[in-house]
Amino acid sequence: MSQATPRATPLATPDVRKVADLARLELTESEAVLFAAQIADVLGYVEQLSEVDVTGVEPLMQPLELETALRDDVARAGTPVVDCAPEALDGAYQVPQIL
Amino acid sequence: MMKTIREIHDALDAKKASAVELARDFLTRSKADRRGAYLAFCDEGRVLAQAEKADALLKTEGKVPRERLPLLGVPIAVKDALAVQGVPTTAGSRILEGYLPPYTATSVARLEQAGAVLLGKLNLDEFAMGGSNENSAYGPVEHPTHPGRVPGGSSGGSAVAVRAGLCVASLGSDTGGSVRLPASYCGVVGFKPTYGRVSRYGLIAYASSLDQVGPLASNVSDAAAVLRAMSGHDPMDSTSAPRAGVGAIAAPDWSQVRVGVPKEYFIEARGGLQPEVERSIRDALKWYESRGARLVDVSLPHTRHAVAAYYLIAVSEASSNLSRFDGVRFGKRPPAADGARDLADFYKKVRAAFGPEVKRRIILGTFALSSGYYDAYYKRACQVRRLIQRDFLQAFESCDVIAAPVAPTTAFRQGEKASDPLQMYLNDIYTVPVNLAGLPAVSLPCGEDGEKLPIGLQLIGPQFGDERLLGLARAFEEGRA
């Protein structure tokens, strides 16, 4: 854990603009350049995970590995969530007309 | 100024103060504070109504019913990632500016049911992403005693408020150390429960398999009282452990206590661990030994992969969780969005309100989950996660608690790490393994460095060993007083 961190060549250099597009994020020119460098840095660092022998190791997604809880299909009082919408009409979410 | 639950309850019993007087006093001082700890205050009417109810109950009962209402009249505040019905909740982000939740987080509701008086919402790194509270869209939080230093994050406001006496106890959330780190930097107690011990219902999600709500307080007993009041199964959270809440904490039987010292945390950290931090932890270990505990060398071989695994898993989960911020059902929708070309453009205009660190993590997470890269990044990180959990399971066969630093150094200066995200991430080396494995852990003050900056001792327990962990922490705190 020394402060001089090894920066390996990352497996991939993502096209940050394309990935941002997938996530519905818009980046300015300077953000795209800055983030590309910073993300490459992080990916270079996490590259070390490829050194670990994970043969036969099941991925751990959740530390307790609970079974999904189910409940009876009985109606309960709802929460007035439509009130939180930026725009709502007659109990429905209102969005600009986009075809 | 009263800092502990006991002081408050003794004063209420002796009629030296009323709950209303306390609430007014804490509110006044909190509103005047310039350290940026609070983002919003509950309506004064709401606060006073809670305090008046406490006073009325006190009048009827004669004394505070400490068993039944353990937090009666106690002024608390909560991280602004926790929803409180009708109270502005922003998660430190512009995208939720003006958002008024239609419901209250279970953890907060339970504290109010235990008699607590809720003062307001505390500042945090945006969407809990950060280690210094420099990422809040509403301004940074100042260190409580050392201006110019960061308080730690992401629950910076929660730690500062307690240390500065702006509330008696607070709630934070801990995904990769966000309760423990600010507790360590600010010199207060911060506890992260076993995953699933406290409901996440109403906690704005960052990384669902890692997030936990945790208490911060000036002493272990108070942190334990808050934890007891809010823990236990919640049907509204499908990741809530099917268990009752945390029970009472007991004094340790020293002859049965084995304290594990992970060699990777000390030997391999040389060069990265501040000498005074190491000395302070080792002094703490000597104290445990002096009580009769045995020190045991343990190994956590996958330690050096923890930060890498965390920063793939957390960002991946975050990229999914934050996709709900689309300007349709809640949150801000800027005027520019109305002129959007198409739906994708609409979303982009709404999501421009995210800060840079949030955008970075969403992009990283989206990439790590994307087709062609999922196996090499996210899946592999999850496999390493299992190995990290196994390391702890194995270590706990030969010890009962693991001692560690919370952070490699004491509080750093504002701006010091802000331009190098990776450097910021590496600060989490001692905290993230705990979240990956779903274990309980506590940070408690154990010393100061040459500049009087607080140092935190971290104690880590096995899953559901929260009570025992708290007992060992309280013994240290009382023994070293």
Side-chain angles (χ1 to χ4, degrees):
Chain A
M1 268 152 301
S2 74
Q3 297 293 40
T5 51
R7 262 90 150 154
T9 315
L11 169 72
T13 313
D15 182 338
V16 163
R17 282 187 189 283
K18 279 217 177 92
V19 179
D21 191 65
L22 285 174
R24 301 297 180 243
L25 293 173
E26 199 164 50
L27 300 181
T28 64
E29 185 57 49
S30 56
E31 273 178 331
V33 169
L34 178 65
F35 288 2
Q38 292 171 329
I39 285 168
D41 229 16
V42 175
L43 287 175
Y45 176 73
V46 303
E47 199 48 46
Q48 47 140 283
L49 292 182
S50 62
E51 296 160 23
V52 184
D53 183 5
V54 292
T55 326
V57 179
E58 269 299 297
L60 182 70
M61 259 74 169
Q62 209 252 36
L64 298 184
E65 302 202 283
L66 299 167
E67 300 247 314
T68 306
L70 299 175
R71 66 176 178 92
D72 291 337
D73 185 11
V74 173
R76 293 198 294 227
T79 311
V81 291
V82 179
D83 297 344
C84 298
E87 283 179 69
L89 183 64
D90 295 337
Y93 296 114
Q94 212 173 357
V95 291
Q97 182 172 14
I98 295 169
L99 292 170
Chain B
M1 183 175 51
M2 283 175 250
K3 290 216 133 198
T4 73
I5 295 174
R6 175 177 289 179
E7 280 170 350
I8 286 183
H9 284 173
D10 286 348
L12 289 174
D13 280 352
K15 314 222 179 331
K16 289 213 173 101
S18 71
V20 167
E21 281 164 5
L22 282 167
R24 281 195 202 280
D25 172 57
F26 273 87
L27 260 184
T28 306
R29 283 184 297 99
S30 297
K31 285 181 177 174
D33 192 78
R34 291 283 156 266
R35 280 170 281 212
Y38 277 87
L39 284 182
F41 291 96
C42 293
D43 197 58
E44 192 162 318
R46 187 189 196 280
V47 179
L48 293 178
Q50 286 183 326
E52 280 159 13
K53 196 166 163 207
D55 281 333
L57 201 134
L58 197 50
K59 197 162 179 204
T60 318
E61 307 249 349
K63 287 204 177 290
V64 174
R66 300 191 194 200
E67 282 299 307
R68 214 175 77 236
L69 295 169
L71 301 177
L72 189 70
V74 177
I76 63 163
V78 303
K79 185 176 190 176
D80 202 27
L82 286 160
V84 177
Q85 187 174 352
V87 180
T89 299
T90 66
S93 181
R94 289 281 169 210
I95 211 166
L96 283 179
E97 199 173 355
Y99 172 63
L100 298 177
Y103 70 110
T104 297
T106 298
S107 52
V108 182
R110 287 179 178 180
L111 296 191
E112 292 184 308
Q113 279 152 32
V117 176
L118 181 66
L119 300 174
K121 315 302 281 321
L122 298 166
N123 206 346
L124 68 161
D125 280 301
E126 188 177 0
F127 285 105
M129 299 181 190
S132 62
N133 222 136
E134 292 173 294
N135 291 335
S136 169
Y138 300 95
V141 182
E142 280 274 344
H143 192 278
T145 54
H146 290 63
R149 298 268 179 176
V150 301
S154 59
S155 312
S158 305
V160 171
V162 170
R163 183 72 173 82
L166 307 180
C167 64
V168 169
S170 66
L171 290 187
S173 69
D174 191 309
T175 305
S178 289
V179 162
R180 289 163 288 152
L181 183 66
S184 171
Y185 282 3
C186 294
V188 299
V189 174
F191 189 86
K192 184 203 96 63
T194 301
Y195 183 84
R197 211 89 212 249
V198 175
S199 172
R200 291 186 304 108
Y201 180 71
L203 172 68
I204 294 174
Y206 159 22
S208 309
S209 79
L210 298 162
D211 291 345
Q212 267 294 279
V213 174
L216 294 95
S218 62
N219 65 90
V220 176
S221 295
D222 286 2
V226 171
L227 179 66
R228 261 201 306 280
M230 67 179 176
S231 62
H233 179 66
D234 179 19
M236 297 301 286
D237 173 5
S238 62
T239 61
S240 171
R243 279 199 185 215
V246 170
I249 58 179
D253 174 0
W254 293 114
S255 67
Q256 300 296 309
V257 176
R258 299 161 299 169
V259 180
V261 185
K263 72 176 212 293
E264 291 81 5
Y265 286 15
F266 295 92
I267 297 169
E268 287 169 21
R270 205 132 287 161
L273 188 55
Q274 186 179 337
E276 290 149 304
V277 171
E278 183 172 355
R279 205 159 36 239
S280 214
I281 307 294
R282 292 211 181 273
D283 284 347
L285 290 172
K286 284 195 196 112
W287 184 86
Y288 276 105
E289 237 183 347
S290 74
R291 307 304 292 145
R294 259 193 306 134
L295 299 186
V296 176
D297 286 328
V298 296
S299 176
L300 300 169
H302 295 90
T303 295
R304 67 189 187 87
H305 300 297
V307 169
Y310 172 84
Y311 274 102
L312 282 174
I313 294 168
V315 301
S316 296
E317 294 185 4
S319 72
S320 175
N321 279 326
L322 270 65
S323 65
R324 70 195 60 176
F325 298 101
D326 58 9
V328 175
R329 292 156 299 149
F330 45 78
K332 273 188 82 163
R333 183 190 301 173
D338 287 338
R341 295 189 293 277
D342 53 34
L343 196 56
D345 191 41
F346 173 81
Y347 290 147
K348 286 178 188 175
K349 298 237 168 346
V350 169
R351 291 157 70 79
F354 285 137
E357 183 59 32
V358 171
K359 285 185 194 167
R360 253 192 303 270
R361 294 196 194 194
I362 291 174
I363 292 169
L364 252 171
T366 305
F367 180 67
L369 292 172
S370 65
S371 173
Y373 296 107
Y374 177 97
D375 283 1
Y377 287 114
Y378 177 71
K379 184 180 167 193
R380 179 168 271 272
C382 290
Q383 289 171 302
V384 174
R385 181 177 188 175
R386 188 174 294 279
L387 295 175
I388 289 170
Q389 192 185 59
R390 265 188 214 163
D391 281 358
F392 279 104
L393 284 168
Q394 245 168 315
F396 283 123
E397 281 169 17
S398 57
C399 71
D400 307 293
V401 63
I402 287 171
V406 176
T409 67
T410 53
F412 51 88
R413 289 188 170 76
Q414 285 166 348
E416 199 176 303
K417 295 186 200 271
S419 56
D420 190 345
L422 183 56
Q423 274 311 307
M424 191 75 87
Y425 300 169
L426 290 169
N427 209 38
D428 296 337
I429 180 59
Y430 297 116
T431 50
V432 298
V434 166
N435 302 80
L436 290 169
L439 308 175
V442 64
S443 170
L444 60 157
C446 70
E448 292 176 341
D449 70 4
E451 308 213 29
K452 292 199 190 303
L453 285 164
I455 297 170
L457 165 70
Q458 184 177 202
L459 297 174
I460 304 166
Q463 279 186 0
F464 299 105
D466 306 66
E467 291 88 338
R468 195 155 185 220
L469 190 57
L470 286 163
L472 288 165
R474 189 173 65 183
F476 178 79
E477 179 186 81
E478 288 175 350
R480 285 256 297 226

